[in-house]
Amino acid sequence: MRSLTKITILLTLGIMSDADPTQPNAMEGTEGEPVHLPCNHSTISGNQYIYWYRQIPNQSPEYMIHGLKDNVTEGITSLIITRARKSSTLILPRVTLGDAAVYYCLL
């Protein structure tokens, strides 16, 4: 029997423009299951890219994925961008304890 481990993925807000992205403070996921990390950016302008970074404890932030208006997949990570570009969702398909980090949505 496989034991399931709960992991906590901590999300924080990062801002690099006049746009105002917002995210939940924290989310929990079950090891091996997908996690959907939302970001709202209601004041995004037409040519601003949406970037996602993560920072594992005691390490520098690392780039994960970015997009302008189309959905993007890089490796196993996906970025879903709504048609109006007012929100996006980072999808981690099978989280592990190694995914416990601070995740930044930046414009």
Side-chain angles (χ1 to χ4, degrees):
M1 175 182 243
R2 186 178 144 202
S3 103
L4 296 177
T5 304
K6 281 268 192 182
I7 63 169
T8 300
I9 298 176
L10 178 64
L11 303 174
T12 64
L13 174 63
I15 298 175
M16 290 184 60
S17 71
D18 292 335
D20 190 16
T22 57
Q23 302 170 249
N25 289 330
M27 293 187 71
E28 289 185 6
T30 302
E31 188 170 36
E33 296 294 322
V35 171
H36 295 233
L37 308 177
C39 181
N40 294 312
H41 28 81
S42 60
T43 59
I44 193 170
S45 68
N47 61 352
Q48 286 182 306
Y49 281 83
I50 302 157
Y51 292 88
W52 280 86
Y53 288 81
R54 78 174 177 179
Q55 186 171 14
I56 295 172
N58 301 315
Q59 295 186 22
S60 299
E62 65 178 307
Y63 165 81
M64 293 188 70
I65 197 167
H66 76 280
L68 181 62
K69 56 185 169 183
D70 297 320
N71 297 337
V72 180
T73 299
E74 289 186 18
I76 61 170
T77 304
S78 297
L79 175 61
I80 306 300
I81 302 170
T82 60
R83 182 174 224 142
R85 296 178 16 98
K86 301 299 181 189
S87 66
S88 62
T89 303
L90 179 71
I91 300 173
L92 306 174
R94 291 179 307 278
V95 294
T96 68
L97 289 174
D99 292 314
V102 178
Y103 288 79
Y104 298 94
C105 171
L106 305 169
L107 302 176

